[in-house]
Amino acid sequence: PMLLISGCPNQLAGSIPHCEFSSMQDVATHLGETLRQLADDYHLVVRPHPNYLEFGDFLRPWGVVSTQVPTSHLVPLCDLFVAFASATIRWAAACGIPTINYDIFHYGYNDFANVKGVRTVCASSDFVSLVGTMKPDSDTYQEARSLSQSDAAYWSVMDGQCIDRIEGVIDAACC
């Protein structure tokens, strides 16, 4: 199984509501140490944000493999997704992938509050606790997977006809 981390840009360089960490290196250390408990159960992979590729290097000491394969190509392949209040969460929802939405910068977005397979945490201690329950054979993971899959159809139609539908809308709008 693969645990995919969708890396975030360096939000600490700007104004944010709150973060328990003073540097992105500290964020990566926290993530690496927390996710290490799942290293025997998942392949740990990070797709760093295009504006902050060094985040992948920060996670390397914990055995996290960094890639520049587009996130949209990786999400359907993963078994557990970790993102940081990111729009990429909608891709995981569409694919029925259990997701941890770690609002590490405390933006408080509620975009995914009603998505059945998305668990949102803000505090580092809550992240540590949740990660500890997400081994592939755990009841918590299996429940999250079942809920994710039951909700996926709301987020997307995966029938291979998306391009045809988009072209149809464009053609109708142009005529």
Side-chain angles (χ1 to χ4, degrees):
M2 179 173 60
L3 185 157
L4 177 63
I5 305 157
S6 178
C8 56
N10 182 359
Q11 299 293 326
L12 297 175
S15 178
I16 58 167
H18 172 71
C19 185
E20 295 175 66
F21 306 97
S22 60
S23 72
M24 290 304 288
Q25 180 66 61
D26 291 344
V27 169
T29 297
H30 167 63
L31 287 175
E33 289 177 355
T34 301
L35 295 174
R36 179 173 40 190
Q37 64 186 306
L38 296 178
D40 290 338
D41 300 291
Y42 292 97
H43 294 282
L44 304 177
V45 177
V46 63
R47 175 31 168 123
H49 191 280
N51 291 337
Y52 199 63
L53 295 175
E54 48 269 62
F55 194 65
D57 295 332
F58 293 164
L59 288 168
R60 193 164 287 126
W62 289 274
V64 178
V65 174
S66 183
T67 182
Q68 291 189 38
V69 172
T71 309
S72 61
H73 294 196
L74 295 168
V75 167
L77 305 176
C78 76
D79 299 279
L80 180 60
F81 188 54
V82 175
F84 305 92
S86 171
T88 60
I89 292 170
R90 74 185 64 218
W91 299 337
C95 294
I97 307 296
T99 300
I100 298 173
N101 175 21
Y102 189 5
D103 188 5
I104 199 166
F105 304 110
H106 295 258
Y107 287 118
Y109 301 138
N110 62 4
D111 302 29
F112 304 105
N114 295 320
V115 182
K116 294 177 184 174
V118 176
R119 311 269 170 102
T120 299
V121 295
C122 297
S124 62
S125 59
D126 292 339
F127 180 69
V128 171
S129 295
L130 180 56
V131 166
T133 68
M134 297 302 281
K135 292 187 177 206
D137 59 351
S138 73
D139 290 342
T140 302
Y141 174 82
Q142 292 301 324
E143 177 186 13
R145 184 159 180 80
S146 177
L147 288 169
S148 297
Q149 292 173 347
S150 74
D151 204 28
Y154 174 80
W155 290 92
S156 179
V157 177
M158 300 287 208
D159 64 357
Q161 302 301 312
C162 292
I163 292 174
D164 293 337
R165 281 193 294 278
I166 292 169
E167 287 177 345
V169 169
I170 292 170
D171 287 345
C174 292
C175 297

